[in-house]
Amino acid sequence: MDITSLLLLGLAALGVISSNSPITIAMVVLLLIRVLGLQQAFPWLEKYGLTVGIIILTIGVMTPLASGKISLQTVGQSFLHWKSLAAIGVGVLVAYLGGRGAMLMGSQPTIVAGLLIGTVLGVALFKGVPVGPLIAAGILSLLIGRM
């Protein structure tokens, strides 16, 4: 087994230890792609994987609105309360950071492993939630002054 496969296996193990199913599943899928000799999928995944993931995430986030669990009236009322306005502001900030993070990850793919390990460790050691690689990359881009 080569070093890259061992790294993927190690990250999958960190996912299991931290009860981070998305990390575990992603690493196992990537490992299977390598083991089954389907490396021709990697360029497509590198080019479109993040976009497909963001589309699926957006569908998940917008489902309560589409299903009617959140009404248009509720959305309108969110502009009338300071906590909702703060939530809107934080949402804008997070989207901005995510955009910066996506650009940084695209321009400097070597940081992805560090962000992933940091996210997994945050989940495992501090009972965090694994939502962070894009936002972490956005914050990192602010810290290092790159986009």
Side-chain angles (χ1 to χ4, degrees):
M1 189 174 279
D2 63 292
I3 193 74
T4 301
S5 295
L6 286 172
L7 178 62
L8 291 171
L9 195 56
L11 290 170
L14 278 175
V16 169
I17 291 167
S18 66
S19 300
N20 188 335
S21 298
I23 298 284
T24 304
I25 293 166
M27 295 308 112
V28 169
V29 166
L30 291 171
L31 189 58
L32 283 173
I33 289 171
R34 286 181 60 81
V35 169
L36 296 175
L38 301 172
Q39 284 85 350
Q40 66 271 20
F42 288 137
W44 188 90
L45 288 171
E46 285 180 36
K47 187 172 183 179
Y48 300 110
L50 187 59
T51 301
V52 170
I54 290 170
I55 290 168
I56 292 170
L57 180 62
T58 303
I59 289 170
V61 168
M62 296 304 291
T63 297
L65 182 64
S67 70
K69 286 185 179 177
I70 297 177
S71 69
L72 192 55
Q73 180 182 4
T74 303
V75 172
Q77 289 174 345
S78 69
F79 291 97
L80 302 175
H81 193 276
W82 75 268
K83 288 181 182 177
S84 296
L85 289 171
I88 291 169
V90 169
V92 169
L93 176 63
V94 167
Y96 169 72
L97 289 173
R100 284 185 64 109
M103 286 190 284
L104 181 66
M105 290 170 76
S107 67
Q108 296 187 24
T110 56
I111 65 162
V112 173
L115 292 167
L116 184 59
I117 291 168
T119 299
V120 172
L121 289 174
V123 170
L125 301 176
F126 302 109
K127 300 189 188 297
V129 179
V131 295
L134 272 178
I135 306 308
I139 293 169
L140 180 62
S141 76
L142 291 175
L143 293 174
I144 65 175
R146 297 236 172 118
M147 280 187 48

